[in-house]
Amino acid sequence: MFKNLLRIGVSLSLFNSTYVLCKQIKDEKLPHYHFLNDQDLNKLLKKHQNLSIIDRTYTEHILSIIRDVETDTVEFRKSSDRLIRILIEQAISQIEKKKHVKQSPLGYYDAHEVKFEDEEICFVSILRSGNAFLFEGLKAVSGASIGQILIQRNEDTALPSYLFQKLPSNIKDQQVILMDPMLATGNSATLALRILKNQGVKQENVTFLTLVSCEQGIDKLFREFPKIKIITAQVDPILLKDFNYLAPGIGNFGDRYFGTIKKSQQSVQQQ
Amino acid sequence: MFKNLTKLACCLGLLNGTFVVCSQLRNENGHNRNEQYNFLSENELNNLMMRHKNLWILNRNQTEHILSLMRDTNADIVTFRKNADRLIRILMEQALCHIEKKKQIKQSPLGFYESNEVKYNEEEICIVSILRSGNAFLNEGLRVISGASIGQILIQRNEETSMPKYFFEKLPEDINEQQIILVDPMLGTGGSASMALKVLQTNGVKEENIIFLTLVSCEQGLNKVFKEFPNIKIITAQVDPVLIQNINYLAPGIGDFGDRYFGTVKKNKCGLKL
């Protein structure tokens, strides 16, 4: 009996060590991406005056949770909402303000308030992923108008195709905040901006919000629309050529936020 | 100078008189043009519920005030949204009531009790919205069921032919195993709703697993949907009496819910759209 126990002990330990080795080998196959350092980011900011990148200390923690493949839907939504709220507040801070004098309980003070009414601010979301921004958007500006443009990226050609739009009739007079979580090649965003231009919206009135972007996308947008403002939470170093996904990126934001993909497939999708 | 002043006063008086008479005439015409719609009585609503056993109409006490504020053309966008969200929350909670529960024994601080909890995980519940207006339900939907999956089907009604046109869908892969809550604010002809239900059916969803939520509906729409899909459940906040034939809008209705919730139409046009 002692010999049998010994045999069982040996085979268990062999089993365990092969498992550990295999796990290490599997993990080594995945590439390790490093983020851009502060110098590279500063260079980008100097190249494009209308670009704002949110301070790393605000976004590091939240983005880390969002990027994690193990994060479940509820946690993903909560963290995305926090980040989206930060972006929207930043966008509103850049809208023109006017000065007047108001009265506080103890005396007068100089009031600087946003020049426009709630209804003159329009959130335009690029369906389907951009819709995630609307929940927090309405909490911040409860009277804002909402426009929607449906653009889907053809998975084979990676070219965007326009399907549908519903925009306010007076959009050319409004301050527009265009939203899309990812800015990779910049093709969908360019298509949406052209649609807005056709409706008479001026470039200076457009602010583009995105969670994660890359240099190629930012360059392309600014080349065609130099006067818009872009606010992004982080700039990722790489755009993978074949599937045009950002790396390390967030994967497919729409699928993760709306829960339309099974968790077991999440890690496969991201590569 | 005195004579001039008298002439001026006479002119002003005439001007005022004509204005008052004209506005009265206009009001009379206006009154005749905009009909007064009376809601269905309790009897008629009960008859409807007896005819369709899978139909639930919310209690009038809960919905009267909120719907009244929403129907008002002068409601500004913030009031409209707040009240729409309240009503949607009530509908969502009602929908959750109808999902199967399982019994267990659990422990409270003082002793054991029989617990009846919803049988499914949050991720097994899927809220499918019929874009664009149905998206308004997602706001409150996610607050109630924070882990739910979300599917979207884009169906637009062609304004001239009133026929629904299918554009686009994005549904979870395992939707055939999930409990579906299909949402669309208005149920007029029932055209868009039955198109969406057919899309769900092609994806393998069983009728018994679908609950359809709508704010305002009408008898024709309800009949049509139940004829094609007798096993789904429908929960509506109120049933309006009239479906205006040529434009296929409910009356008194809410107008175009999507335009009013998303603010894509100026306020003074809301009345014209009806």
Side-chain angles (χ1 to χ4, degrees):
Chain A
M1 198 195 79
F2 200 59
K3 278 192 191 164
N4 284 337
L5 278 179
L6 207 64
R7 282 191 200 135
I8 291 178
V10 170
S11 40
L12 275 177
S13 61
L14 274 175
F15 203 54
N16 192 31
S17 47
T18 37
Y19 174 71
V20 168
L21 275 175
C22 284
K23 197 161 187 282
Q24 280 184 349
I25 294 175
K26 186 168 63 141
D27 284 345
E28 273 173 23
K29 275 201 186 148
L30 290 176
H32 185 150
Y33 296 107
H34 296 278
F35 293 119
L36 296 176
N37 58 24
D38 281 333
Q39 261 185 336
D40 294 332
L41 291 176
N42 280 335
K43 263 195 252 171
L44 249 187
L45 285 171
K46 281 205 201 117
K47 199 188 344 167
H48 301 292
Q49 300 161 314
N50 285 336
L51 170 69
S52 317
I53 303 177
I54 304 213
D55 196 0
R56 188 178 289 227
T57 44
Y58 269 121
T59 58
E60 269 182 325
H61 170 82
I62 306 175
L63 267 174
S64 168
I65 298 178
I66 296 179
R67 293 183 196 271
D68 189 356
V69 75
E70 305 277 331
T71 304
D72 67 7
T73 314
V74 178
E75 197 52 52
F76 187 86
R77 282 176 184 157
K78 264 199 275 190
S79 305
S80 304
D81 282 346
R82 276 182 66 192
L83 194 53
I84 290 166
R85 186 64 167 260
I86 293 176
L87 278 171
I88 290 179
E89 293 289 355
Q90 188 79 358
I92 296 177
S93 71
Q94 296 185 348
I95 297 181
E96 213 180 319
K97 296 190 183 66
K98 73 176 172 195
K99 218 196 263 201
H100 42 204
V101 181
K102 278 194 161 183
Q103 187 175 11
S104 85
L106 264 70
Y108 293 101
Y109 67 100
D110 293 325
H112 286 239
E113 294 182 5
V114 168
K115 193 171 168 184
F116 304 96
E117 297 282 326
D118 267 8
E119 288 153 338
E120 293 174 295
I121 296 177
C122 179
F123 292 123
V124 178
S125 68
I126 300 184
L127 291 182
R128 169 188 71 120
S129 327
N131 262 9
F133 284 64
L134 292 179
F135 303 126
E136 282 297 318
L138 281 181
K139 280 191 214 163
V141 184
S142 44
S145 323
I146 294 177
Q148 298 180 326
I149 304 177
L150 177 54
I151 292 176
Q152 286 289 293
R153 193 161 75 165
N154 185 323
E155 287 297 328
D156 311 304
T157 66
L159 285 176
S161 58
Y162 157 79
L163 288 170
F164 160 83
Q165 70 165 279
K166 241 326 166 21
L167 299 169
S169 39
N170 57 341
I171 194 173
K172 57 176 157 29
D173 304 320
Q174 294 187 320
Q175 301 293 306
V176 176
I177 300 182
L178 182 63
M179 313 156 142
D180 194 11
M182 320 284 282
L183 174 59
T185 54
N187 288 332
S188 321
T190 312
L191 193 55
L193 284 164
R194 283 193 198 130
I195 292 173
L196 288 177
K197 205 162 89 155
N198 281 344
Q199 299 282 327
V201 182
K202 298 202 193 85
Q203 279 184 42
E204 305 85 62
N205 290 342
V206 178
T207 306
F208 181 62
L209 294 184
T210 177
L211 296 181
V212 187
S213 50
C214 69
E215 204 174 329
Q216 291 96 308
I218 296 177
D219 285 342
K220 181 176 161 82
L221 278 189
F222 274 130
R223 206 180 317 138
E224 206 171 319
F225 303 94
K227 296 205 188 125
I228 67 171
K229 300 185 200 62
I230 298 185
I231 305 178
T232 177
Q234 199 161 43
V235 180
D236 269 2
I238 299 179
L239 179 62
L240 292 172
K241 292 258 135 158
D242 334 303
F243 350 72
N244 283 325
Y245 263 91
L246 293 173
I250 311 181
N252 186 325
F253 183 90
D255 280 341
R256 295 188 73 186
Y257 193 96
F258 293 109
T260 45
I261 195 165
K262 278 204 194 128
K263 243 215 300 192
S264 58
Q265 293 190 357
Q266 270 180 352
S267 42
V268 176
Q269 265 261 329
Q270 275 177 318
Q271 288 161 27
Chain B
M1 197 193 85
F2 202 58
K3 278 194 190 167
N4 286 338
L5 279 177
T6 342
K7 280 185 198 161
L8 203 65
C10 279
C11 289
L12 280 175
L14 275 173
L15 202 69
N16 193 31
T18 37
F19 176 71
V20 167
V21 173
C22 282
S23 67
Q24 274 188 350
L25 277 174
R26 193 165 38 136
N27 273 345
E28 271 178 22
N29 280 341
H31 226 272
N32 288 338
R33 225 186 308 142
N34 293 329
E35 287 178 53
Q36 164 119 9
Y37 294 104
N38 294 319
F39 295 118
L40 295 176
S41 66
E42 289 294 328
N43 270 343
E44 290 169 323
L45 292 176
N46 283 335
N47 284 343
L48 251 185
M49 281 200 279
M50 266 189 272
R51 192 164 10 133
H52 301 292
K53 54 181 167 46
N54 280 337
L55 169 68
W56 283 275
I57 305 176
L58 292 184
N59 195 328
R60 190 177 286 229
N61 294 334
Q62 272 188 316
T63 59
E64 265 181 326
H65 170 83
I66 303 175
L67 268 174
S68 166
L69 288 173
M70 283 171 67
R71 293 182 197 272
D72 188 359
T73 26
N74 295 324
D76 66 295
I77 200 173
V78 179
T79 314
F80 188 84
R81 279 176 182 159
K82 260 197 280 193
N83 287 299
D85 283 346
R86 274 184 66 191
L87 195 51
I88 291 167
R89 183 65 166 259
I90 296 175
L91 277 171
M92 278 276 160
E93 293 286 0
Q94 192 77 357
L96 283 179
C97 292
H98 292 285
I99 298 186
E100 216 181 315
K101 296 189 181 68
K102 70 174 176 204
K103 238 193 245 199
Q104 283 175 315
I105 307 274
K106 280 194 159 181
Q107 186 175 15
S108 85
L110 267 68
F112 293 100
Y113 67 99
E114 279 169 2
S115 84
N116 263 342
E117 291 181 8
V118 168
K119 192 170 166 187
Y120 304 95
N121 280 333
E122 285 195 348
E123 288 149 340
E124 292 172 300
I125 299 178
C126 178
I127 305 177
V128 177
S129 71
I130 300 184
L131 293 181
R132 164 186 75 120
S133 325
N135 263 6
F137 282 66
L138 296 181
N139 209 350
E140 283 295 322
L142 280 183
R143 283 194 216 161
V144 178
I145 315 173
S146 41
S149 324
I150 295 179
Q152 296 177 327
I153 307 178
L154 177 55
I155 294 176
Q156 286 289 294
R157 193 163 74 165
N158 184 324
E159 287 296 328
E160 290 127 38
T161 65
S162 275
M163 297 300 288
K165 187 168 167 206
Y166 162 83
F167 276 81
F168 157 83
E169 74 177 61
K170 231 5 178 331
L171 300 169
E173 296 197 342
D174 50 352
I175 194 174
N176 53 340
E177 297 160 20
Q178 294 186 323
Q179 300 294 305
I180 313 281
I181 302 180
L182 181 65
V183 294
D184 193 11
M186 319 286 282
L187 178 59
T189 53
S192 325
S194 50
M195 188 174 262
L197 285 163
K198 284 193 192 106
V199 171
L200 288 178
Q201 233 179 22
T202 16
N203 277 298
V205 184
K206 298 200 193 84
E207 279 180 38
E208 304 86 60
N209 289 343
I210 303 180
I211 301 177
F212 180 58
L213 294 184
T214 177
L215 297 180
V216 186
S217 51
C218 70
E219 204 174 327
Q220 293 95 308
L222 290 168
N223 288 342
K224 178 179 158 87
V225 174
F226 272 130
K227 204 188 312 168
E228 292 177 33
F229 306 93
N231 290 326
I232 69 168
K233 302 185 192 64
I234 299 186
I235 306 178
T236 177
Q238 198 161 43
V239 181
D240 269 0
V242 178
L243 179 65
I244 301 184
Q245 293 289 23
N246 33 7
I247 48 178
N248 279 325
Y249 263 92
L250 291 173
I254 312 182
D256 186 323
F257 183 92
D259 280 340
R260 294 186 76 187
Y261 192 94
F262 292 110
T264 44
V265 171
K266 277 208 195 123
K267 226 195 330 177
N268 55 3
K269 282 195 192 166
C270 274
L272 282 177
K273 265 233 159 182
L274 280 172

